[in-house]
Amino acid sequence: MVKKTVSLVLSSGGARGMAHIGAIEALEEAGFEIVSIAGCSSGALVGGIYATGQLNTFKNWICNLDKIDVFSLMDFTISRKGFIKGEKVFNALKHIVADCEIETLKIPFACNAVQIPSGEEKIFSSGSLFDAIRASSSIPTVLTPSKIGEDEFIDGGIINPIPFNLIKPTERGNLLVVVDLNGPKSAFVPPSAKEKKESNLKLPFWLADYQKKFSNYFYSEQKEEKPKGLSSVELLNFSFDLIQDKLSEMVIRQYDIDLLVEISREQAGTLEFHRAAELIEIGKKKMQKAIKKLESGHKRTQ
């Protein structure tokens, strides 16, 4: 019997990246062995932590955060480059999962970022794991750029949201498995009645004020309201989303993918990490469904 080994590619997508956790759990429960990982942004976060062997520890932590907890981890700053410094949340992460050198991981891992101002793709396959994740997940206008030495980096999703090129031929598994977090509306999974009730948690008035200011990122349900017009920042992020979607579509068509799972972009907002448990379950169920189709002879399912 051929061993079921997997090269896993995890896309960018903010809080939707928690679906990556469920997808990984489904693969392991089905007997697949993940032998290499490439990730971008939130895909870098989940993929990197999985490679340390501490994904369950991270899952237990993230699933116990509510809206207020998530908000408390955001160190707001007045900057033209982003409104969150990111130091607070990454310091918290380092208390949950210790930093390490990427080259010491048991599973080969790589993630990408964009160096500025050159615009060149930077591939991280060695050095500090959390430096690499921070660089890869520096979402423009949200997180301030990451600085490593004299170099600055922003989110790798700008030019390569699904980094197939990071999987080395010598590290390829029998199957190429991809989780795309920027999928179409048709991939949307309606929330259950329980999830809708939990999402209506009332915030203190001072938090509600911030919620309005940053509604573009915190609460996806607010996006259903039709705005009178987009601000310059909203227009920039709208453009960024469109570019990511088109890039993802183009790249996916170019590769011979054995198993594809799509999570709708509308499934959750960029910073809705308080919905981690819901997103993990969606990722798990979608991967389980895709595995069943694959095993029945249907390749490249979603």
Side-chain angles (χ1 to χ4, degrees), residues 207-216 218-219 222:
L207 281 179
D209 181 54
Y210 277 105
Q211 175 183 332
K212 290 179 182 178
K213 292 179 181 178
F214 304 120
S215 60
N216 238 22
F218 281 109
Y219 309 110
Q222 293 189 4

Side-chain angles (χ1 to χ4, degrees), residues 74-77 82-88 134 142-145:
M74 296 180 185
D75 41 4
F76 296 105
T77 182
F83 63 80
I84 298 173
K85 288 188 287 185
E87 294 174 7
K88 201 170 183 180
R134 173 65 177 87
V142 181
L143 284 180
T144 56

Side-chain angles (χ1 to χ4, degrees), residues 44-298:
L45 172 66
V46 174
I49 291 177
Y50 174 73
T52 70
Q54 297 296 313
L55 188 60
N56 198 51
T57 300
F58 172 74
K59 174 187 173 181
N60 291 336
W61 175 71
I62 198 76
C63 285
N64 281 292
L65 299 181
D66 60 22
K67 285 183 179 180
I68 297 175
D69 293 327
V70 172
F71 187 90
S72 71
L73 289 170
M74 296 180 185
D75 41 4
F76 296 105
T77 182
I78 300 174
S79 170
R80 290 179 297 175
K81 296 181 178 181
F83 63 80
I84 298 173
K85 288 188 287 185
E87 294 174 7
K88 201 170 183 180
V89 66
F90 274 89
N91 285 335
L93 280 170
K94 288 175 184 177
H95 281 91
I96 304 299
V97 178
D99 195 10
C100 65
E101 300 297 301
I102 294 174
E103 57 268 36
T104 66
L105 296 171
K106 292 181 179 179
I107 301 174
F109 167 78
C111 65
N112 64 341
V114 178
Q115 189 167 356
I116 53 175
S118 70
E120 294 179 357
E121 183 177 33
K122 166 67 176 179
I123 297 173
F124 292 91
S125 56
S126 63
S128 163
L129 175 63
F130 277 107
D131 279 355
I133 293 171
R134 173 65 177 87
S136 184
S137 59
S138 298
I139 306 169
T141 75
V142 181
L143 284 180
T144 56
S146 168
K147 194 166 185 179
I148 302 176
E150 296 300 314
D151 299 319
E152 281 192 315
F153 301 93
I154 55 176
D155 197 307
I158 291 176
I159 61 173
N160 191 8
I162 310 179
F164 292 96
N165 61 306
L166 273 58
I167 297 288
K168 297 178 181 178
T170 55
E171 298 168 350
R172 280 288 298 267
N174 301 132
L175 301 173
L176 179 62
V177 178
V178 179
V179 182
D180 176 20
L181 304 176
N182 303 304
K185 289 182 180 180
S186 58
F188 181 79
V189 178
S192 66
K194 180 183 177 182
E195 288 159 356
K196 283 183 178 179
K197 185 177 180 181
E198 290 176 350
S199 70
N200 290 327
L201 171 69
K202 297 296 182 182
L203 296 176
F205 73 92
W206 57 275
L207 281 179
D209 181 54
Y210 277 105
Q211 175 183 332
K212 290 179 182 178
K213 292 179 181 178
F214 304 120
S215 60
N216 238 22
Y217 307 104
F218 281 109
Y219 309 110
S220 62
E221 59 263 29
Q222 293 189 4
K223 293 182 181 179
E224 295 174 3
E225 300 175 7
K226 293 183 179 179
K228 294 180 180 178
L230 296 176
S231 68
S232 58
V233 173
E234 290 170 335
L235 184 59
L236 178 62
N237 283 286
F238 176 71
S239 302
F240 178 54
D241 289 348
L242 283 179
I243 292 170
Q244 273 199 321
D245 292 349
K246 294 301 179 185
L247 277 173
S248 297
E249 289 176 13
M250 289 171 59
V251 172
I252 285 172
R253 285 198 296 266
Q254 292 175 4
Y255 285 83
D256 186 20
I257 301 169
D258 296 289
L259 198 156
L260 170 66
V261 168
E262 290 184 317
I263 306 296
S264 173
R265 174 179 290 284
E266 298 187 0
Q267 198 67 60
T270 303
L271 299 180
E272 290 189 290
F273 288 95
H274 62 279
R275 296 174 61 191
E278 169 197 346
L279 291 162
I280 290 169
E281 190 61 23
I282 289 172
K284 189 169 188 175
K285 287 181 177 178
K286 286 207 166 194
M287 182 60 79
Q288 288 171 335
K289 185 177 179 181
I291 290 170
K292 285 183 180 179
K293 288 185 178 180
L294 178 70
E295 293 178 338
S296 65
H298 297 281

Side-chain angles (χ1 to χ4, degrees), residues 12-36:
S12 60
R16 295 187 300 283
M18 298 307 98
H20 289 321
I21 298 174
I24 288 171
E25 289 179 344
L27 284 168
E28 288 193 320
E29 289 173 10
F32 291 90
E33 179 189 357
I34 298 169
V35 295
S36 58

